Amino acid sequence: MYEFAVEPAITQLRRPGVIITEVEPDSLAQELELFPNDRIVKVNGRQVRDYLDFRFQTAGETELTFRVKKTNGETLDIEFDREEGEDFGLSFEQIVPRQCANECIFCFCKGNPEDARPSLFVRDEDIRLSFLYGNYTTLSSITEDEMNRIVEQRLSPQYVSIHATDLKTRAYLLGVDESRADISGKLQRLLDADIELHAQVVLCPEINDGKILEQTLRDLADNYPGVISTAVVPVALTRYNTDERLTRVTPEFCQRTIKEVGKLQKEFRKTLGTTFAFLGDEIYVKGGVEIPSRRHYGNYPQIEDGVGMVRSFLNAFDKVLNRRGAETQRSANKRIHPVAIRPKGKNPVAIAPGSDIGTIITGEMFAPVLREQIEKYNFRTGSRFHVLAVPNTYFGGDVSVAGLLTGQDLLKIRDQIEGDFVIIPSSIIKSDEPILLDGMPYEELRSQFSVPIFDLDTHGLINFLSK
Ligand code: SF4
């Protein structure tokens, strides 16, 4: 499950063009007398649907005509020249995601409590967001226009949820008929056009595991390097997913999957020179199996999908233990394309605590891993940091990742806080607004604790411990 970065205005009537949200002072846009809320509807006679179109149609152009709808209803054609590469000084509205037409049996929306905040129910299926933010799509209802757009605007890589190459199984998982589930022709068209793909399998025991999984991974690997990598992540069922067709992921299931996929990974490393099919960290942690080495993950192609995050953290932590002051290897989500609009900061830059006695909060899955490292750290440095595993009572079921903890979950463990401060995972706060997954304002959470709360991601935590 993950949430789209913005609160989309899905109820708003969409009008053609892209709306300007900001105009930089002393910029070319200001000189052209463009203002926030003006809508650019055409560039050099071509329609503009969103800021991706705007970027595509202005790229490399020095002689330009903008057709602009002003807020007073006036339409203007503005002709101008710009220097090569000169920035316009414009910011635009976010893309409103296109909604999916599937009925996946494991859909995260079915796992939300009814009162979860609206953005958790957004079922986006949008090739633009796949390119910009690395969101997965199923391609099952992609239109001809969207296919052409991927190719024409080189929206590569695309992130595609395959789940199974066996058609019957894929249709069953997506809850659609086989003709819609069949994306083999579309995938081939994208690969023929040199569009790179990252694939994902949401692994559901007794549905797309075993032989079906092996066939899926082999079929995808046959298309390497067009298909760059595949992430196999376990289905996560909250207590609201009561669909009887779904079976929960057990430690035994994880161990069996690691064994079966391990054989394929070995084969792929020999034939392709890459592990290619990566299992989500949760599968190793739940199965009680050691996390693979750094080499296994190559350049961590699926790290934002929870694949290799633990290894990356452990390696960074080792550097902290050995040298102190080690820098982390990453500081930003590398799946986000440079042209993507990033949500405005939710908080002031997190200031690390000044004391060396405090509590670090995480989910039940990561807690044993983190605790072991922090204990070594305490031993070496004399600090007294305490790792606290917080049960997820809001979503319940087998949700144990840190990123889905809510304000209510945190309030329940207030009396277990030790020391002068609390560090919480920054991923539990909405990316563009200071609220938590259950809608609790961050400020309200802070006011309920008797010690300061700091929100850090794993890199922030490593940096804090490196000081
Ligand atoms: S593709 Fe499936 S899992 Fe994703 S939003 Fe649609 S129904 Fe839900």
Side-chain angles (χ1 to χ4, degrees):
M1 178 200 296
Y2 67 72
E3 185 182 14
F4 181 56
V6 295
E7 194 91 47
I10 44 179
T11 51
Q12 269 178 21
L13 196 62
R14 298 295 305 151
R15 289 186 298 174
V18 61
I19 296 173
I20 295 170
T21 53
E22 277 173 48
V23 176
E24 266 175 39
D26 304 321
S27 63
L28 177 57
Q30 192 180 49
E31 206 179 300
L32 298 172
E33 298 186 349
L34 292 170
F35 294 97
N37 295 320
D38 285 351
R39 227 163 359 106
I40 301 181
V41 292
K42 283 189 180 177
V43 169
N44 289 353
R46 295 193 67 189
Q47 297 281 359
V48 172
R49 294 161 288 188
D50 47 45
Y51 75 86
L52 255 189
D53 268 350
F54 177 85
R55 296 213 180 267
F56 181 73
Q57 281 156 26
T58 55
E61 300 288 343
T62 50
E63 291 175 18
L64 287 145
T65 306
F66 286 177
R67 174 160 295 176
V68 181
K69 294 257 185 209
K70 308 297 275 184
T71 45
N72 62 4
E74 211 182 340
T75 302
L76 300 177
D77 280 325
I78 305 173
E79 267 185 56
F80 63 99
D81 293 338
R82 67 164 177 167
E83 301 289 322
E84 211 162 302
E86 185 180 2
D87 188 44
F88 295 103
L90 286 171
S91 300
F92 294 107
E93 62 177 339
Q94 286 270 14
I95 285 173
V96 177
R98 177 152 118 54
Q99 303 285 288
C100 93
N102 302 322
E103 274 304 328
C104 296
I105 62 175
F106 52 78
C107 181
F108 57 84
C109 291
K110 297 177 188 164
N112 288 333
E114 271 179 18
D115 60 349
R117 63 171 193 248
S119 56
L120 288 180
F121 291 94
V122 176
R123 308 197 318 170
D124 70 285
E125 164 93 344
D126 197 310
I127 47 104
R128 299 166 300 175
L129 305 180
S130 191
F131 167 70
L132 290 167
Y133 301 101
N135 293 13
Y136 275 96
T137 70
T138 63
L139 298 184
S140 55
S141 56
I142 188 171
T143 62
E144 187 58 22
D145 264 3
E146 288 171 316
M147 282 294 283
N148 290 337
R149 186 171 184 183
I150 294 176
V151 175
E152 186 195 4
Q153 299 187 349
R154 311 298 311 156
L155 305 184
S156 172
Q158 286 287 312
Y159 291 81
V160 185
S161 281
I162 299 290
H163 305 320
T165 49
D166 175 75
L167 193 50
K168 258 191 176 29
T169 309
R170 185 169 202 264
Y172 179 72
L173 284 164
L174 297 188
V176 297
D177 59 34
E178 289 184 25
S179 62
R180 182 181 280 188
D182 184 3
I183 54 166
S184 49
K186 294 168 188 169
L187 288 177
Q188 199 51 56
R189 227 172 114 186
L190 295 177
L191 290 169
D192 289 346
D194 291 331
I195 300 298
E196 294 184 321
L197 306 173
H198 287 281
Q200 174 181 248
V201 171
V202 172
L203 191 59
C204 301
E206 295 170 33
I207 301 178
N208 61 345
D209 55 340
K211 288 278 166 229
I212 303 252
L213 177 63
E214 178 177 348
Q215 192 56 52
T216 301
L217 297 179
R218 285 194 186 283
D219 290 343
L220 291 168
D222 280 348
N223 287 296
Y224 179 84
V227 178
I228 308 168
S229 71
T230 303
V232 180
V233 295
V235 66
L237 301 179
T238 71
R239 69 187 143 102
Y240 303 97
N241 294 101
T242 50
D243 194 320
E244 286 176 356
R245 294 171 294 177
L246 293 168
T247 307
R248 292 195 182 275
V249 170
T250 61
E252 297 70 39
F253 173 80
C254 293
Q255 289 154 11
R256 196 170 65 240
T257 304
I258 293 167
K259 223 175 178 174
E260 289 168 1
V261 175
K263 283 187 199 147
L264 287 174
Q265 290 171 330
K266 214 168 165 184
E267 187 185 314
F268 294 150
R269 276 194 293 271
K270 259 196 201 144
T271 53
L272 310 177
T274 161
T275 303
F276 180 74
F278 301 91
L279 294 174
D281 294 354
E282 222 176 323
I283 296 184
Y284 295 100
V285 175
K286 205 168 211 165
V289 174
E290 199 182 333
I291 298 282
S293 69
R294 165 78 189 80
R295 279 185 57 206
H296 176 93
Y297 292 103
N299 63 354
Y300 292 104
Q302 298 267 7
I303 194 161
E304 310 306 338
D305 215 20
V307 178
M309 267 186 178
V310 174
R311 170 50 60 207
S312 160
F313 177 80
L314 289 174
N315 280 15
F317 208 97
D318 261 358
K319 288 184 191 150
V320 173
L321 288 176
N322 294 333
R323 298 193 276 113
R324 309 230 17 220
E327 282 300 311
T328 54
Q329 78 282 26
R330 289 180 327 115
S331 59
N333 182 336
K334 62 178 178 180
R335 209 144 98 175
I336 297 185
H337 193 275
V339 306
I341 295 178
R342 287 167 192 261
K344 293 268 188 278
K346 58 196 173 198
N347 302 305
V349 175
I351 301 165
S355 160
D356 58 3
I357 308 173
T359 299
I360 305 170
I361 276 177
T362 187
E364 287 178 308
M365 183 195 91
F366 189 50
V369 177
L370 182 60
R371 188 172 294 125
E372 193 184 332
Q373 302 306 311
I374 291 293
E375 279 169 6
K376 286 188 214 162
Y377 182 90
N378 285 343
F379 183 74
R380 291 208 190 170
T381 63
S383 309
R384 280 159 52 202
F385 297 133
H386 161 63
V387 174
L388 185 55
V390 180
N392 195 315
T393 53
Y394 183 77
F395 289 107
D398 41 33
V399 174
S400 57
V401 294
L404 290 177
L405 289 173
T406 65
Q408 296 170 35
D409 296 323
L410 299 187
L411 289 186
K412 287 187 185 140
I413 50 79
R414 266 177 307 178
D415 57 346
Q416 295 170 53
I417 299 302
E418 293 175 15
D420 305 324
F421 63 86
V422 186
I423 293 177
I424 63 169
S426 61
S427 57
I428 69 175
I429 304 160
K430 196 164 183 277
S431 51
D432 56 350
E433 193 182 352
I435 58 171
L436 290 99
L437 278 171
D438 54 358
M440 183 184 292
Y442 191 17
E443 261 326 294
E444 185 183 324
L445 179 80
R446 284 188 152 137
S447 70
Q448 303 282 328
F449 277 71
S450 56
V451 291
I453 300 180
F454 298 91
D455 59 282
L456 299 176
D457 61 10
T458 49
H459 313 291
L461 181 61
I462 292 281
N463 288 337
F464 160 60
L465 296 169
S466 302
K467 299 271 170 351

